[in-house]
Every structure is written in structure tokens, then in C-alpha cells.
């Protein structure tokens, strides 16, 4: 199609076929750069408009629904008194025909903040509940090299009793226990276990270091342990659902009062939110009034003292006259 059939080539056609034409993108599409710039400008203007646009006003949550069926995210989560919430959990079990002796749990959301950037470190603690809800007994190991103390520990239910010979087995995970207690005489020899046992390492602060072995064993064999998870949440069981309401409330308050000891009373309460539930029910938000320990602030005490002093002065003056 480019040349006649006789075989000769038109002048200049051979050069054009051998060397392809080099066309720059700007020459081929002179409008490409301008179009790209226009798109960028349009994108910038859209972003600026979005920034300048006021955020949508969120509709304030309503307090109490009128109908039985409603959208939960349009209403505030209801909070219940402790006794009322326990009664609701018992009622849920009856309506759902679930296991009557299921565990009752609490989720405690904590406020760990202190002054400036300081905060309460995550902690774990053990507490004796007024009403036991399980027959399980914790496994306690006792460190002592005194034969008489070792015999006393075995008589009072220690799972394992021994001295420095146990260190190797503990490091190799051949021996494990729920709690470790020790007498003061052997504690310098247990330093290799500090990094292994971590929070379970015997210490006076946790009442796991002392000379009264029967008392330590009685406490740690029956105590209830809880731990802070995810930096500010405690999830623990407190009772069984078939227990009397008074017993469930007493166990819950015992744990909450123990948690409150980990933050100084001159700060805001450490318990920010409290939810109770059973193994098969939804969580019920509790009203904290009457659950947290009543602590008077230092300022309030000083004000009361000043008022009392002012009231006593006129009395003293009248007596002197």
C-alpha cells in the first residue's frame, strides 16, 4: 500500500519508514499539563471546602425511651442500683432457663490518671471475700529451710514446701503454684526467682513474706485474685447467681473497696464505670452511688474544723464574761 507494485519507492518515503518520528508528549498532547494542574487545583479547593465546612451537629441523646422497641444509640445507656441489677440478672436466668449456678462477673473501668503525666501502674491484688462461691483451693508454695516451719506449713495445707533446691525446678517450670510465700530468713537466696515470678515474688507489700506461716497459708489458699488488663480494665468473677442478693452485693463491695486503695483519696475516684453481668446475660451499668467508699476530702475537713472553731469562740467568750 505504501509503494507501487513495480518495486520502486517514492522519493523520501524510505527515510520516513526507516527512522520513526519522535514526538514529545507536550507536542502530542499540549493540553495534558494544563489539565493535570486544573485537577490539582480542583482537589485543593474541595479539601478546603471540607475543612471549612462545620462538623454536623450531633443530636443530643435522649434519656428514657417511650416504646418497648427503640434504637439504642439514640438513648443514654441506663444505669441501675446494685440491688435492682442483681434482681434483673436473676430474672433473666429464670426467663432464659439457663444454668442457675452460673458465675456473676464485673467489668471495672478505671481512671488511672494522677497529676500531670503520671498515672497508677497496672496492679494485681488478692482479697478475702466475705462469702466464698467456689470450693477451689489455691495452690501455695512455701519457701523455708527450717524443718519445724516446714512441718507447720505441711500441716496447714501447703502444696509444696522447700528451700533453695526448688529454685531450679521453678525456673524450668517443673513446679508451679498459684502463690509463693516465704519466711524472711530465706529471701536473700531467692533473688534468682525475681524475674521469673514477677508480681508473685514474695514481698511484705503483698503479705506473702512473713513469719506467721499458718496465717499466710489461710489467706492465700482461700483468697480471690484480680488483675488490671489492657492498662485500665478489671474483669473478674465475684459470686454465683443462686447466692442471696446480700452475699453478691457484699462480695462486690469488698473488691471495689480494695481497688480504691490503689489511688490516693485526694484524686478523683479510680473506679470510673462499673458493669455487672452473669455468664449468659447482657451487661448492666451500675450507679456508683453507695458502692464507692465514702472518703472526705482534706479541704472539706479543714472547712469543717474552721466552722467548729468559729462556733466555739462565742461560747468561750460568753463563759469568760
Amino acid at each position: 500500500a505504501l509503494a507501487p507494485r513495480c518495486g520502486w519507492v517514492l522519493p523520501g518515503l524510505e527515510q520516513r519508514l526507516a527512522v520513526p518520528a519522535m514526538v514529545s508528549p507536550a507536542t502530542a498532547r499540549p493540553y495534558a499539563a494544563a489539565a493535570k494542574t486544573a485537577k490539582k487545583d480542583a482537589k485543593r479547593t474541595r479539601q478546603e471546602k471540607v475543612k471549612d465546612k462545620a462538623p454536623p451537629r450531633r443530636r443530643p441523646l435522649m434519656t428514657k425511651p417511650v416504646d418497648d422497641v427503640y434504637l439504642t444509640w439514640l438513648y443514654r445507656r441506663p444505669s441501675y442500683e446494685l440491688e435492682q441489677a442483681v434482681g434483673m440478672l436473676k430474672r433473666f436466668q429464670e426467663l432464659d432457663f439457663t444454668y442457675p449456678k452460673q458465675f456473676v462477673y464485673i467489668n471495672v473501668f478505671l481512671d488511672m490518671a494522677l497529676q500531670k503525666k503520671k498515672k497508677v501502674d497496672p496492679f494485681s491484688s488478692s482479697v478475702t471475700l466475705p462469702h466464698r462461691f467456689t470450693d477451689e483451693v489455691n495452690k501455695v508454695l512455701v519457701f523455708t529451710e527450717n524443718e519445724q516451719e516446714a512441718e507447720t506449713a505441711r500441716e496447714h495445707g501447703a502444696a509444696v514446701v522447700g528451700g533453695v533446691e526448688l529454685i531450679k525446678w521453678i525456673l524450668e517450670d517443673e513446679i508451679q503454684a498459684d502463690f509463693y510465700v516465704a519466711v524472711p530468713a530465706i529471701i536473700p537466696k531467692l533473688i534468682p526467682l525475681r524475674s521469673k515470678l514477677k508480681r508473685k515474688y514474695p514481698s511484705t507489700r503483698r503479705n506473702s513474706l512473713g513469719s506467721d506461716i499458718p496465717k499466710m497459708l489461710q489467706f492465700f489458699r482461700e483468697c480471690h485474685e484480680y488483675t488490671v488488663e489492657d492498662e485500665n480494665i478489671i474483669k473478674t468473677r465475684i459470686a454465683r447467681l443462686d447466692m442471696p442478693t446480700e452475699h453478691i452485693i457484699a462480695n462486690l463491695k469488698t473488691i471495689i473497696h480494695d481497688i480504691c486503695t490503689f489511688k490516693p483519696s485526694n484524686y478523683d475516684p479510680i473506679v470510673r464505670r462499673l458493669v455487672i453481668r452473669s455468664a449468659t446475660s447482657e451487661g448492666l451499668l451500675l450507679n456508683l452511688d453507695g458502692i464507692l467508699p465514702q472518703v472526705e476530702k482534706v479541704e472539706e475537713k479543714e472547712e469543717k474544723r474552721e466552722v467548729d472553731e468559729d462556733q466555739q469562740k462565742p461560747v468561750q467568750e460568753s463563759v469568760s464574761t
Side-chain angles (χ1 to χ4, degrees), residues 208-219:
S208 56
L209 177 62
S211 302
D212 195 344
I213 294 178
K215 183 179 180 181
M216 291 190 296
L217 282 172
Q218 181 182 3
F219 174 77

Side-chain angles (χ1 to χ4, degrees), residues 22-46:
M22 299 298 293
V23 182
S24 64
T27 307
R29 299 176 62 188
Y31 56 87
K36 191 176 290 186
T37 306
K39 284 184 179 179
K40 287 183 179 179
D41 294 339
K43 190 175 182 179
R44 284 178 192 153
T45 54
R46 284 199 300 269

Side-chain angles (χ1 to χ4, degrees), residues 150-159 213-215 217-218 221:
E151 187 63 28
T152 302
R154 294 188 187 97
E155 291 176 357
H156 287 81
I213 294 178
K215 183 179 180 181
L217 282 172
Q218 181 182 3
R221 289 181 78 242

Side-chain angles (χ1 to χ4, degrees), residues 82-96:
L82 179 53
E83 187 173 355
Q84 179 188 5
V86 174
M88 291 174 66
L89 294 181
K90 291 178 177 290
R91 183 59 178 163
F92 292 159
Q93 181 272 322
E94 295 175 358
L95 295 175
D96 297 337

